[in-house]
């Protein structure tokens, strides 16, 4: 009747279900803020925030994890103050733009290898990205560059000199680092021969990771990305010692919270992009997607076993805390020990559950080729879906590696001076990226003989 | 004599900046691992839960000294309130029942919200009646009124919390210690 291909209900459900992946960067904000606070405190020889508590079992502090939620409650219930001299409309919508970008950018990221299964004798395919476009990475750049509009709009609409200075700095930095960022990736595009992120990841899956073939580009891109997110040592846009708080100076309550959370969402997205471009994305080294599908029960077992190991490591830490806490002679010793016991019991049960699930996954699940069409074997839908789940987990694990680098760099390096940032961007990174591109082109021409 | 420090010229490795950044990140990571493994060895105290040990000579909040007969040692001379740069001491004088002493304070109030804890009142006191060695450093109350300490609060300290044998004894000359009183004040002390 029409050219529109017939799809099974499952294909529709999976296609729509991919939209949930867009929320992954937003959901990781909570973990990121916790990681940032604890990482910062341990680097600076502090304990970090740990006082907010859920009033059960002697005050459930969860080692400071509750602080995220109290922060959220505070930001939501505070008064949204609008200065009388601000441009009301632009002031109100500016914080949304950065957050909107944080919601849009994940749509071009390949979260898992393209799914394919047979239904009613026909092959059904579902792409691993929401927008499976050949402009892929360019679209991503276009979207992520939009976030600076939120910054500039906020700084202009605030009608405050400090905010305007911060906005101008953010713009200048954006322009400087976008150039070297784009150019550093040209080598990758040259080698993989595609702008499509799916293709780039597929190339890395069958050849080697991007970091091996383009180590210089990796460093340039990482530095440019840190500058792009406006984090230390490139956080002149909100340099407290010079311009108070920069572009979000006049913002309060949840409008400020949107900037604060948008920053972490931005970091997570940048980390996912770096992992996709240079660390093989969702792929596992030496294991192709087909191989992964054929042994998905082992893969699930390994992922769950990793989770169980993490839980056991947490319990060891808990035991340590429980043994040392009485020696502090603190007044809340009893409450803390109650809390630690509670956590021991719950994490112990969770560990048992995860181990049980891992055992079930290893023993009970048997992936096998369900049908063969034109000599290509297709697995059952649940096998491809489980593989996709494993791949999403792998991608997020890789991304968290970079998230930690963001935090680590922030609490190690002091802030660059503004002119130093400009000279680093224009005089060093840009030239390094250009030379890298020329050298890559030459080598590619000599070895591969042109494409 | 001037010592000339020869500055090492930055090598290419130094100027590339990356190696130095990695060294710095190594230092921060060492701190993180050390503190994560042994949080009890961090040089810190979880404040309200763990009591802060303040040294004996720390300049904390005030206390008023007493004579053996229980009277306040203060002679209401206004030296401390005159010396006070924050004007936080309010004294109202009254006739003393002790024939050796002209006045005694009827009201002695210190507003800790005004006080700058400079210790000039302690320096100014001729009879060593006011001290700031109470080791009380966390002054936190529910209302402004509670920050104004009256005589009763300033004298409500326990003798066993303070060393009895320091050179400026907390026990004033008097009572059975006439010998000492004569040496210090040159006066005979009326037995109570």
């Amino acid at each position: 009747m029409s050219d529109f291909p017939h799809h099974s209900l499952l294909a529709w459900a999976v296609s729509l279900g991919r939209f949930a992946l867009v929320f992954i960067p937003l959901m990781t904000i909570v973990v990121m803020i916790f990681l940032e606070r604890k990482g910062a405190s341990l680097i600076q020889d502090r304990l970090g925030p740990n006082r907010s508590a859920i009033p059960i079992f002697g005050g459930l502090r969860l080692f400071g994890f509750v602080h995220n939620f109290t922060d959220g409650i505070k930001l939501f219930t505070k008064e949204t103050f609008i200065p009388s001299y601000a441009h009301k409309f632009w002031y109100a919508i500016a914080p949304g733009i950065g957050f909107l970008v944080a919601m849009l950018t994940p749509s071009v990221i390949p979260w898992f290898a393209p799914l394919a299964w047979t239904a009613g004798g026909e092959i059904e395919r579902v792409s691993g990205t929401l927008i499976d476009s050949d402009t892929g990475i360019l679209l991503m750049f276009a979207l992520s560059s939009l976030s600076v509009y939120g910054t500039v709009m906020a700084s202009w609409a605030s009608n405050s000199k400090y905010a305007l200075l911060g906005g101008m700095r953010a713009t200048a930095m954006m322009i400087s680092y976008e150039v070297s960022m784009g150019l550093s990736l040209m080598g990758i595009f040259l080698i993989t021969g595609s702008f499509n992120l799916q293709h780039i990841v597929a190339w890395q899956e069958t050849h080697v990771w991007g970091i091996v073939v383009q180590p210089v580009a990796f460093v340039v891109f990482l530095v440019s990305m840190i500058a792009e997110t406006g984090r230390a040592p490139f956080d002149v846009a909100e340099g407290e010692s010079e311009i108070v708080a920069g572009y979000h100076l006049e913002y309060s309550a949840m409008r400020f919270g949107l900037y604060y959370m948008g920053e972490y969402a931005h970091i997570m997205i940048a980390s996912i992009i770096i992992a996709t471009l240079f660390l093989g994305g969702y792929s596992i080294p030496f294991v192709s997607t087909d191989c992964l599908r054929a042994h998905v029960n082992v893969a699930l077992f390994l992922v769950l076993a990793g989770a169980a190991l993490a839980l056991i490591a947490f319990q060891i830490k808990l035991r340590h805390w429980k043994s040392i806490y009485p020696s502090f002679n603190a007044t809340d010793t009893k409450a803390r020990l109650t809390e630690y016991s509670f956590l021991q019991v719950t994490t112990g049960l969770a560990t048992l559950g995860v181990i049980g699930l891992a055992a079930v996954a290893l023993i009970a699940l048997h992936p096998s080729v369900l049908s063969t069409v034109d000599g290509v074997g297709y697995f059952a839908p649940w096998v491809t879906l489980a593989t996709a789940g494993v791949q999403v987990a792998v991608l997020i694990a890789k991304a968290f590696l970079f998230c930690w680098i963001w935090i680590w760099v922030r609490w190690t390096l002091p802030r660059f001076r503004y002119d130093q940032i400009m000279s680093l961007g224009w005089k060093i990174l840009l030239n390094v990226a250009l030379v890298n591109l020329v050298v890559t082109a030459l080598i590619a021409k000599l070895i591969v003989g042109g494409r | 004599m001037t010592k000339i420090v020869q500055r090492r010229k930055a090598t290419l490795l130094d100027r590339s900046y990356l190696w130095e950044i990695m060294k710095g990140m190594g230092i921060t990571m060492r701190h993180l691992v050390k503190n994560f493994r042994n949080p009890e060895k961090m040089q810190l105290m979880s404040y309200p839960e763990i009591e802060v040990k303040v040294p004996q000579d720390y300049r904390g909040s005030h206390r008023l000294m007493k004579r053996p007969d229980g009277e306040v040692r203060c002679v209401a001379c206004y030296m401390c309130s005159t010396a006070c740069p924050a004007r936080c001491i309010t004294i109202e004088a009254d006739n003393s029942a002790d024939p050796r002493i002209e006045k005694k304070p009827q009201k002695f109030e210190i507003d800790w919200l005004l006080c700058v804890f400079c210790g000039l009142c302690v320096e100014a006191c001729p009879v060593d009646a006011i001290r700031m060695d109470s080791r009380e450093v966390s002054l936190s109350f529910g209302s402004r009124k509670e920050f104004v300490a009256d005589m009763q609060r300033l004298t409500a300290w326990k003798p066993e919390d303070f060393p009895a044998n320091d050179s400026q004894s907390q026990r004033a000359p008097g009572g059975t210690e006439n010998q000492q009183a004569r040496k210090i004040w040159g006066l005979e002390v009326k037995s109570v």
Side-chain angles (χ1 to χ4, degrees), chain A residues 9-74:
Chain A
L9 203 63
L10 181 68
W12 278 109
V14 173
S15 296
L16 291 176
R18 289 180 307 175
F19 278 94
L21 295 170
V22 168
F23 293 94
I24 284 179
L26 298 186
M27 286 190 293
T28 48
I29 289 173
V30 178
V31 187
M32 280 289 294
I33 293 175
F34 177 71
L35 261 182
E36 167 111 306
R37 285 176 170 166
K38 279 293 167 186
S41 63
L42 288 176
I43 281 172
Q44 297 174 341
D45 298 346
R46 298 184 282 117
L47 270 179
N50 58 0
R51 296 308 165 91
S52 287
I54 304 166
I56 48 164
F57 296 108
L60 211 53
R61 286 178 172 181
L62 302 176
F63 295 96
F65 198 75
V66 187
H67 264 263
N68 292 330
F69 306 110
T70 45
D71 266 358
I73 292 167
K74 185 197 84 172

Side-chain angles (χ1 to χ4, degrees), chain A residues 39 42-43 45-47 51 61 219 317 320-321 324-325 328-332 404-405 408-409 411-413 416, chain B residues 17-18 21 24-26 28-29 31-32 34-40 42-51:
Chain A
L42 288 176
I43 281 172
D45 298 346
R46 298 184 282 117
L47 270 179
R51 296 308 165 91
R61 286 178 172 181
V219 174
K317 199 66 210 156
H320 180 56
W321 268 105
I324 60 172
Y325 208 86
F328 295 156
N329 286 327
T331 49
D332 66 338
W404 170 245
I405 285 179
W408 191 7
V409 165
W411 297 105
T412 302
L413 297 180
F416 278 119
Chain B
Y17 207 58
L18 279 174
I21 286 178
M25 285 169 79
T28 46
M29 189 47 113
H31 273 264
L32 184 133
K34 190 186 75 189
N35 293 329
F36 184 75
R37 289 174 55 122
N38 295 311
E40 72 272 19
M42 271 191 257
Q43 295 292 314
L44 49 85
M45 270 182 253
S46 293
Y47 166 53
E49 287 93 18
I50 298 173
E51 209 178 317

